[in-house]
Amino acid sequence: ATFNIAMGLQEPGELSAALANGSNPRLRQVAEILQRVRPDIVLLNEFDYDPSIDAAASLNDNYLAHGFGGQAPIHYAHHFRAPVNTGIDSGLDLDGDGQTGGPGDAWGFGRFPGQYGMLLLSRYPLDAAEARTFAAFQWSAVPGALRPVLPDGSPFYPDDTWSALRLSSKSHWDIAAEAGGQTLRVLAFHPTPPVFDGPEDRNGRRNFDEIRFWRDYTDPSGAGFMVDDNGRSGGMARGRPFVVVGDFNADPTDGDSLPGAIGQLLDAPWIDSRCIPSSRGATEAAERQGGVNRQQTGDPAADTADFNDQYTGNLRLDYVLPSAGLEVAGCGVFWPPTGDPGHDLLEASDHRLVWLDILL
């Protein structure tokens, strides 16, 4: 499963305090959702990275070990986390305001290092020692990268800035999970939203190429331009089963992402995108909220995020995409309609947990 829990914390240490006391309302709701859906492996997006605490242990002990809403506790014996680019000062003017410093000039937008991080939880063993991370990989190293340009055609980023700029707004992770006697690669990320920029569309272009990274990485023909944070080159070995998970910030037909951004994965022959997670709650929400939702062309049942209905509307942004050849038994979105158990938990986040069942 994938779940952007949208903690929205603005200061370093806030997550540590929330994990320690066991009484944070949002984390209690997140815990109940996990207890209701009970995924074996789940990626939490927007879970701040704080190396000073054992975040997984605190989450297990202070929240998941306590049943909420009549649910049974759940425990994740294994986890993976790593540094992310958000909030790490680049020393460069990345947002084009003529100054350096601040959240817009971090390698990934953030007010402090680790904001909007990721945490992978698993009931199956994870091979953290062999994990590959790509936080430092440079955007300009992508063949044919969509370098942002100004309306007059000149580059938005000067050459020295462009050559240094990192692709991942957080990071790209490749972690092996040992499940059912097989090794399953979990490919996790959270690309930048394709908004909050100008006519150069630097975030839209970055989102496109962040998504493209996984397409090339998993391409059986063997794209070789990637270099991970340990200096190891190349993409995934041919034939390895995998699942790409995360908040991709790209809807197939609506929203502000570049045309074809998510199609790079949905249309890849080696990825099985036939099981489209959906929910009755999403359809109900789109009908009730109206606004921009009435102008959208995508199936509202497949929405996974509930945004401002005057400007954005509800979108399909969160995905769990398996490699072709895995046996998919089902998929869905935790979005209970009004009156169903768990509907009151939806205020936990503007995103919904998306799950996929595969048989190994």
Side-chain angles (χ1 to χ4, degrees), residues 157-170:
Y157 296 115
D159 288 346
D160 57 345
T161 300
W162 172 243
S163 64
L165 183 57
R166 299 177 179 184
L167 173 64
S168 296
S169 54
K170 287 83 178 176

Side-chain angles (χ1 to χ4, degrees), residues 214-215 218 242 244 264-266 268-273 321-324:
W214 282 140
R215 179 186 173 96
T218 58
F242 64 85
V244 190
Q264 297 176 102
L265 297 180
L266 296 181
W270 55 91
I271 293 177
D272 184 356
S273 60
L321 300 176
S323 56

Side-chain angles (χ1 to χ4, degrees), residues 31-335:
E32 184 175 340
I33 292 171
L34 293 176
Q35 290 165 355
R36 286 180 176 273
V37 182
R38 310 192 76 77
D40 291 314
I41 301 174
V42 57
L43 175 71
L44 299 181
N45 287 126
E46 298 197 15
F47 189 101
D48 297 348
Y49 173 74
D50 183 348
S52 71
I53 61 170
D54 189 338
S58 296
L59 184 63
N60 270 313
D61 296 343
N62 297 331
Y63 290 94
L64 300 178
H66 305 277
F68 296 104
Q71 304 305 302
I74 192 170
H75 180 77
Y76 292 97
H78 310 277
H79 77 278
F80 180 84
R81 62 174 181 160
V84 291
N85 285 326
T86 43
I88 298 179
D89 185 20
S90 68
L92 303 168
D93 178 16
L94 299 184
D95 57 11
D97 66 355
Q99 303 177 6
T100 58
D105 290 330
W107 290 123
F109 183 91
R111 294 171 179 83
F112 59 88
Q115 189 180 25
Y116 311 120
M118 303 186 290
L119 176 68
L120 184 70
L121 300 172
S122 178
R123 299 168 77 175
Y124 293 102
L126 299 174
D127 191 349
E130 292 298 319
R132 301 185 71 188
T133 66
F134 295 87
F137 180 73
Q138 294 168 333
W139 189 358
S140 59
V142 176
L146 298 183
R147 182 175 181 175
V149 294
L150 295 167
D152 64 4
S154 62
F156 177 80
Y157 296 115
D159 288 346
D160 57 345
T161 300
W162 172 243
S163 64
L165 183 57
R166 299 177 179 184
L167 173 64
S168 296
S169 54
K170 287 83 178 176
S171 188
H172 287 66
W173 294 348
D174 173 358
I175 310 106
E178 303 298 330
Q182 295 190 36
T183 299
L184 179 71
R185 311 297 303 198
V186 180
L187 309 182
F189 78 142
H190 182 194
T192 187
V195 288
F196 312 121
D197 50 21
E200 81 290 341
D201 196 20
R202 65 185 187 276
N203 289 334
R205 289 168 174 250
R206 189 179 190 181
N207 171 273
F208 188 99
D209 279 347
E210 285 193 75
I211 294 172
R212 178 196 165 179
F213 180 92
W214 282 140
R215 179 186 173 96
D216 291 343
Y217 187 81
T218 58
D219 189 335
S221 65
F225 62 81
M226 306 86 178
V227 180
D228 65 29
D229 294 330
N230 289 321
R232 178 182 167 192
S233 301
M236 177 179 291
R238 184 192 301 265
R240 290 185 177 179
F242 64 85
V243 180
V244 190
V245 298
D247 170 5
F248 297 2
N249 273 315
D251 183 282
T253 59
D254 302 306
D256 293 310
S257 60
L258 288 182
I262 187 57
Q264 297 176 102
L265 297 180
L266 296 181
D267 300 335
W270 55 91
I271 293 177
D272 184 356
S273 60
R274 292 174 297 174
C275 192
I276 301 176
S278 61
S279 68
R280 291 190 297 119
T283 302
E284 177 196 61
E287 293 174 348
R288 183 182 69 253
Q289 295 164 356
V292 175
N293 294 296
R294 296 192 179 99
Q295 305 168 18
Q296 295 179 343
T297 60
D299 181 1
D303 289 340
T304 68
D306 187 353
F307 295 141
N308 183 294
D309 301 298
Q310 182 179 356
Y311 303 106
T312 307
N314 304 342
L315 298 168
R316 182 187 180 193
L317 302 181
D318 308 85
Y319 298 84
V320 186
L321 300 176
S323 56
L326 287 172
E327 185 176 355
V328 177
C331 60
V333 181
F334 183 80
W335 197 329

